[in-house]
Amino acid sequence: MVEHLAKNLVELKKEFSKMYDGGSQIQEIIPKSKSELFPIEDHDLKLLHEFATKNPIYYDSFEKTIGQTDCIVYEGDINKYWLNSIQHSSSRAPFSPTWIMSGYIGALFAKKFGYSEVIDIGSGDGRIAFCAKVLGLESYSIEIDDVLVELQKQLTAILDFRPFCADAVHFDYLSLNLTHPIFFIGGLAQMGGITLSSGVLEKIYSIPNLRKNSGWVFAGTHSKKYTPDPKNKAGWGTLIEKNNLKYVQTISLPTVWTFHEPDETPYIFAVSR
Protein backbone atom coordinates (compact mmCIF):
# COMPACT_ATOMS: atom_id res chain seq x y z
CA MET A 1 0.00 0.00 0.00
CA VAL A 2 2.86 2.41 0.78
CA GLU A 3 4.40 2.14 -2.68
CA HIS A 4 0.95 2.31 -4.30
CA LEU A 5 0.08 5.51 -2.46
CA ALA A 6 3.49 7.08 -3.15
CA LYS A 7 3.24 6.39 -6.89
CA ASN A 8 -0.28 7.79 -7.09
CA LEU A 9 0.63 10.89 -5.08
CA VAL A 10 3.56 11.62 -7.41
CA GLU A 11 1.27 11.33 -10.44
CA LEU A 12 -1.29 13.56 -8.76
CA LYS A 13 1.36 16.17 -7.99
CA LYS A 14 2.54 16.17 -11.61
CA GLU A 15 -1.00 16.80 -12.85
CA PHE A 16 -1.54 19.50 -10.25
CA SER A 17 1.72 21.32 -11.06
CA LYS A 18 0.69 21.49 -14.75
CA MET A 19 -2.69 23.07 -14.03
CA TYR A 20 -1.87 25.25 -11.01
CA ASP A 21 -2.03 28.95 -11.95
CA GLY A 22 -1.99 30.51 -8.48
CA GLY A 23 0.68 32.77 -7.06
CA SER A 24 1.19 31.38 -3.56
CA GLN A 25 4.65 30.63 -2.25
CA ILE A 26 3.72 27.07 -1.31
CA GLN A 27 0.84 24.85 -2.38
CA GLU A 28 -0.15 21.26 -1.81
CA ILE A 29 -3.13 18.94 -2.10
CA ILE A 30 -4.97 16.40 0.02
CA PRO A 31 -7.67 14.08 -1.41
CA LYS A 32 -11.15 14.86 -0.11
CA SER A 33 -12.17 11.27 0.52
CA LYS A 34 -11.19 7.62 0.25
CA SER A 35 -10.90 6.26 -3.28
CA GLU A 36 -9.35 3.44 -5.29
CA LEU A 37 -6.26 5.57 -5.97
CA PHE A 38 -6.05 6.76 -2.36
CA PRO A 39 -7.49 4.04 -0.10
CA ILE A 40 -7.03 6.10 3.06
CA GLU A 41 -9.60 5.95 5.82
CA ASP A 42 -11.84 9.02 5.93
CA HIS A 43 -11.01 9.41 9.63
CA ASP A 44 -7.33 9.84 8.76
CA LEU A 45 -8.06 12.22 5.88
CA LYS A 46 -10.25 14.32 8.15
CA LEU A 47 -7.35 14.76 10.58
CA LEU A 48 -4.91 15.63 7.77
CA HIS A 49 -7.30 18.32 6.55
CA GLU A 50 -7.72 19.59 10.10
CA PHE A 51 -3.94 19.89 10.43
CA ALA A 52 -3.88 22.05 7.29
CA THR A 53 -6.89 24.22 8.13
CA LYS A 54 -5.58 25.01 11.62
CA ASN A 55 -1.98 25.53 10.52
CA PRO A 56 -1.14 29.26 10.25
CA ILE A 57 1.23 28.75 7.32
CA TYR A 58 -1.81 28.18 5.07
CA TYR A 59 -4.00 31.18 4.27
CA ASP A 60 -6.39 29.80 1.62
CA SER A 61 -7.93 26.57 0.38
CA PHE A 62 -10.29 25.50 -2.39
CA GLU A 63 -11.67 22.35 -4.01
CA LYS A 64 -10.13 21.06 -7.23
CA THR A 65 -10.60 17.88 -9.24
CA ILE A 66 -7.21 16.65 -10.42
CA GLY A 67 -7.40 13.72 -12.81
CA GLN A 68 -9.82 11.31 -11.14
CA THR A 69 -9.34 12.66 -7.63
CA ASP A 70 -11.33 15.35 -5.84
CA CYS A 71 -8.88 17.33 -3.71
CA ILE A 72 -8.54 20.32 -1.45
CA VAL A 73 -5.74 22.67 -2.48
CA TYR A 74 -3.98 24.48 0.37
CA GLU A 75 -2.00 27.65 -0.35
CA GLY A 76 0.43 29.18 2.10
CA ASP A 77 3.50 31.23 2.90
CA ILE A 78 6.46 30.07 5.01
CA ASN A 79 8.66 33.18 4.68
CA LYS A 80 8.25 34.29 8.29
CA TYR A 81 9.09 30.84 9.63
CA TRP A 82 11.90 30.25 7.12
CA LEU A 83 13.62 33.50 8.06
CA ASN A 84 13.30 32.84 11.78
CA SER A 85 14.58 29.27 11.44
CA ILE A 86 17.92 30.34 9.94
CA GLN A 87 18.74 32.67 12.83
CA HIS A 88 19.78 29.86 15.18
CA SER A 89 23.52 29.25 15.17
CA SER A 90 23.12 25.48 15.54
CA SER A 91 20.27 25.16 13.05
CA ARG A 92 21.22 22.63 10.35
CA ALA A 93 18.58 23.57 7.73
CA PRO A 94 15.94 26.25 7.17
CA PHE A 95 12.25 25.36 7.43
CA SER A 96 10.92 23.95 4.14
CA PRO A 97 8.31 21.25 4.67
CA THR A 98 7.44 18.04 2.94
CA TRP A 99 3.81 17.68 1.86
CA ILE A 100 1.34 16.57 4.52
CA MET A 101 0.39 13.58 2.35
CA SER A 102 4.07 12.70 1.97
CA GLY A 103 4.45 12.80 5.75
CA TYR A 104 1.49 10.45 6.06
CA ILE A 105 3.00 7.97 3.57
CA GLY A 106 6.33 8.11 5.39
CA ALA A 107 4.56 7.36 8.67
CA LEU A 108 2.74 4.47 6.97
CA PHE A 109 6.14 3.01 6.12
CA ALA A 110 7.10 3.17 9.80
CA LYS A 111 3.90 1.37 10.77
CA LYS A 112 4.28 -1.24 8.01
CA PHE A 113 7.70 -2.27 9.32
CA GLY A 114 6.57 -2.47 12.92
CA TYR A 115 8.16 0.60 14.49
CA SER A 116 6.48 1.70 17.70
CA GLU A 117 7.72 5.30 17.87
CA VAL A 118 8.42 8.02 15.30
CA ILE A 119 10.89 10.78 16.17
CA ASP A 120 10.71 13.74 13.79
CA ILE A 121 14.11 15.48 13.93
CA GLY A 122 14.19 19.08 12.68
CA SER A 123 10.43 18.79 12.61
CA GLY A 124 9.38 22.25 11.41
CA ASP A 125 5.65 22.39 12.03
CA GLY A 126 5.59 18.76 13.20
CA ARG A 127 3.70 17.27 10.28
CA ILE A 128 5.51 13.91 10.19
CA ALA A 129 5.06 13.41 13.93
CA PHE A 130 1.41 14.43 13.57
CA CYS A 131 0.85 11.92 10.76
CA ALA A 132 2.44 9.18 12.85
CA LYS A 133 0.00 9.99 15.65
CA VAL A 134 -2.90 9.80 13.17
CA LEU A 135 -1.78 6.23 12.45
CA GLY A 136 -1.69 5.32 16.13
CA LEU A 137 2.07 5.43 16.67
CA GLU A 138 3.78 7.17 19.56
CA SER A 139 5.43 10.25 18.12
CA TYR A 140 7.77 13.03 19.16
CA SER A 141 8.98 16.11 17.32
CA ILE A 142 12.29 17.83 18.06
CA GLU A 143 12.78 21.34 16.69
CA ILE A 144 15.36 23.95 17.66
CA ASP A 145 13.32 26.99 16.58
CA ASP A 146 11.01 28.20 19.35
CA VAL A 147 8.59 29.94 16.95
CA LEU A 148 8.00 26.69 15.06
CA VAL A 149 7.57 24.80 18.33
CA GLU A 150 4.92 27.30 19.43
CA LEU A 151 3.18 26.67 16.09
CA GLN A 152 3.33 22.93 16.78
CA LYS A 153 1.81 23.42 20.22
CA GLN A 154 -1.21 25.05 18.60
CA LEU A 155 -1.67 21.92 16.50
CA THR A 156 -1.42 19.52 19.45
CA ALA A 157 -4.99 20.56 20.22
CA ILE A 158 -5.94 18.17 17.38
CA LEU A 159 -3.58 15.34 18.42
CA ASP A 160 -0.72 15.48 20.92
CA PHE A 161 2.44 14.51 19.04
CA ARG A 162 4.65 15.79 21.89
CA PRO A 163 6.89 18.57 20.57
CA PHE A 164 10.20 19.49 22.18
CA CYS A 165 12.17 22.69 21.65
CA ALA A 166 15.74 21.39 21.68
CA ASP A 167 18.90 20.75 19.71
CA ALA A 168 18.46 17.16 18.55
CA VAL A 169 22.21 16.47 18.79
CA HIS A 170 22.14 17.14 22.55
CA PHE A 171 18.63 15.85 23.35
CA ASP A 172 18.18 13.25 26.12
CA TYR A 173 16.65 10.34 24.17
CA LEU A 174 16.74 8.12 27.25
CA SER A 175 13.95 10.30 28.69
CA LEU A 176 11.56 9.06 25.97
CA ASN A 177 11.82 5.38 26.98
CA LEU A 178 12.04 4.32 23.34
CA THR A 179 11.79 0.64 22.38
CA HIS A 180 11.65 0.39 18.56
CA PRO A 181 11.96 3.91 17.11
CA ILE A 182 12.40 5.27 13.62
CA PHE A 183 14.04 8.67 13.17
CA PHE A 184 13.06 11.02 10.36
CA ILE A 185 15.92 13.45 9.73
CA GLY A 186 14.99 16.90 8.42
CA GLY A 187 17.47 18.54 6.07
CA LEU A 188 19.33 17.44 2.95
CA ALA A 189 22.73 15.83 3.41
CA GLN A 190 24.36 18.75 1.60
CA MET A 191 22.58 21.36 3.74
CA GLY A 192 23.68 20.30 7.20
CA GLY A 193 21.90 16.96 7.30
CA ILE A 194 25.13 14.98 7.63
CA THR A 195 26.19 16.90 10.74
CA LEU A 196 22.73 16.60 12.27
CA SER A 197 22.37 12.89 11.48
CA SER A 198 25.86 12.04 12.68
CA GLY A 199 25.19 13.72 16.02
CA VAL A 200 21.87 11.94 16.52
CA LEU A 201 23.31 8.58 15.44
CA GLU A 202 26.11 8.96 17.98
CA LYS A 203 23.58 9.65 20.75
CA ILE A 204 21.40 6.66 19.82
CA TYR A 205 24.40 4.35 19.39
CA SER A 206 25.38 5.16 22.98
CA ILE A 207 22.14 3.55 24.17
CA PRO A 208 22.76 -0.23 23.88
CA ASN A 209 19.15 -1.42 23.53
CA LEU A 210 18.44 1.09 20.75
CA ARG A 211 21.50 0.61 18.54
CA LYS A 212 20.03 -2.45 16.78
CA ASN A 213 16.37 -1.51 17.15
CA SER A 214 16.32 1.82 15.32
CA GLY A 215 15.27 2.81 11.82
CA TRP A 216 16.34 5.92 9.90
CA VAL A 217 14.79 8.03 7.17
CA PHE A 218 16.87 10.59 5.28
CA ALA A 219 15.58 13.19 2.81
CA GLY A 220 17.80 13.07 -0.28
CA THR A 221 18.16 14.93 -3.55
CA HIS A 222 19.24 14.20 -7.12
CA SER A 223 19.81 17.87 -7.89
CA LYS A 224 22.92 18.48 -9.96
CA LYS A 225 23.67 21.68 -8.06
CA TYR A 226 25.06 19.54 -5.23
CA THR A 227 28.26 17.50 -5.43
CA PRO A 228 27.17 13.86 -5.64
CA ASP A 229 28.03 11.46 -2.83
CA PRO A 230 30.55 8.85 -4.08
CA LYS A 231 28.39 6.16 -2.44
CA ASN A 232 25.20 7.63 -3.96
CA LYS A 233 21.90 7.07 -2.09
CA ALA A 234 20.84 10.64 -2.95
CA GLY A 235 23.61 12.12 -0.81
CA TRP A 236 23.47 9.67 2.09
CA GLY A 237 25.53 6.69 0.91
CA THR A 238 28.74 7.57 2.74
CA LEU A 239 26.93 8.22 6.04
CA ILE A 240 24.99 4.95 5.70
CA GLU A 241 28.19 2.98 5.13
CA LYS A 242 30.20 4.82 7.80
CA ASN A 243 27.56 4.15 10.46
CA ASN A 244 27.06 0.51 9.47
CA LEU A 245 23.45 1.05 8.47
CA LYS A 246 21.63 -1.29 6.11
CA TYR A 247 19.85 0.37 3.18
CA VAL A 248 16.24 -0.81 2.87
CA GLN A 249 14.30 1.22 0.32
CA THR A 250 13.87 4.57 -1.40
CA ILE A 251 10.45 6.17 -1.81
CA SER A 252 10.09 9.37 -3.82
CA LEU A 253 7.53 11.86 -2.51
CA PRO A 254 6.48 15.47 -3.21
CA THR A 255 7.85 18.27 -1.05
CA VAL A 256 7.49 22.04 -1.09
CA TRP A 257 10.94 22.46 -2.64
CA THR A 258 10.26 20.04 -5.54
CA PHE A 259 6.87 21.39 -6.63
CA HIS A 260 8.28 22.90 -9.83
CA GLU A 261 10.88 20.16 -10.32
CA PRO A 262 10.53 17.05 -12.53
CA ASP A 263 11.94 14.81 -9.77
CA GLU A 264 10.49 14.34 -6.32
CA THR A 265 12.37 14.08 -3.04
CA PRO A 266 13.83 10.60 -2.47
CA TYR A 267 13.36 9.40 1.10
CA ILE A 268 16.05 6.89 2.01
CA PHE A 269 15.02 4.25 4.56
CA ALA A 270 17.74 2.39 6.46
CA VAL A 271 18.07 0.28 9.60
CA SER A 272 20.74 -0.16 12.24
CA ARG A 273 22.61 -3.47 12.02
Side-chain angles (χ1 to χ4, degrees), residues 72-87:
I72 303 292
V73 177
Y74 293 96
E75 296 182 313
D77 188 326
I78 62 170
N79 271 329
K80 177 178 74 172
Y81 300 102
W82 186 92
L83 288 169
N84 195 74
S85 70
I86 63 176
Q87 295 177 19

Side-chain angles (χ1 to χ4, degrees), residues 16-214:
F16 175 48
S17 65
K18 290 176 187 175
M19 67 171 62
Y20 180 71
D21 58 2
S24 65
Q25 184 200 28
I26 65 167
Q27 56 291 114
E28 62 180 288
I29 46 180
I30 301 176
K32 283 185 65 179
S33 58
K34 184 177 181 179
S35 66
E36 183 177 345
L37 291 175
F38 294 95
I40 301 170
E41 294 301 322
D42 286 333
H43 169 266
D44 290 4
L45 284 172
K46 178 178 179 295
L47 288 170
L48 300 185
H49 284 292
E50 194 170 354
F51 181 89
T53 56
K54 293 184 177 179
N55 190 323
I57 74 172
Y58 301 106
Y59 58 74
D60 196 15
S61 64
F62 55 90
E63 297 185 13
K64 185 82 172 178
T65 299
I66 304 167
Q68 305 174 45
T69 306
D70 293 332
C71 300
I72 303 292
V73 177
Y74 293 96
E75 296 182 313
D77 188 326
I78 62 170
N79 271 329
K80 177 178 74 172
Y81 300 102
W82 186 92
L83 288 169
N84 195 74
S85 70
I86 63 176
Q87 295 177 19
H88 298 268
S89 59
S90 55
S91 176
R92 302 319 197 279
F95 174 53
S96 187
T98 190
W99 276 16
I100 296 169
M101 278 293 296
S102 296
Y104 182 82
I105 292 170
L108 267 177
F109 181 96
K111 186 170 184 176
K112 171 185 174 181
F113 284 91
Y115 291 99
S116 54
E117 305 105 356
V118 166
I119 299 88
D120 186 5
I121 303 289
S123 54
D125 61 3
R127 59 188 58 203
I128 293 175
F130 178 88
C131 289
K133 195 70 174 181
V134 169
L135 289 163
L137 300 173
E138 284 300 315
S139 62
Y140 308 88
S141 65
I142 302 175
E143 170 59 51
I144 198 167
D145 181 63
D146 57 329
V147 173
L148 283 167
V149 173
E150 287 305 311
L151 186 158
Q152 290 186 37
K153 288 178 179 178
Q154 296 177 44
L155 298 170
T156 59
I158 310 170
L159 288 173
D160 186 6
F161 49 90
R162 303 168 86 173
F164 292 89
C165 186
D167 184 335
V169 171
H170 302 292
F171 186 77
D172 178 14
Y173 293 96
L174 274 172
S175 68
L176 301 181
N177 297 312
L178 302 173
T179 57
H180 192 30
I182 186 166
F183 296 81
F184 285 75
I185 305 294
L188 301 179
Q190 302 88 341
M191 293 183 65
I194 294 292
T195 301
L196 174 61
S197 300
S198 298
V200 176
L201 277 157
E202 184 177 348
K203 291 283 286 190
I204 297 305
Y205 277 12
S206 70
I207 305 172
N209 66 312
L210 291 185
R211 182 177 182 121
K212 292 187 177 181
N213 290 327
S214 300

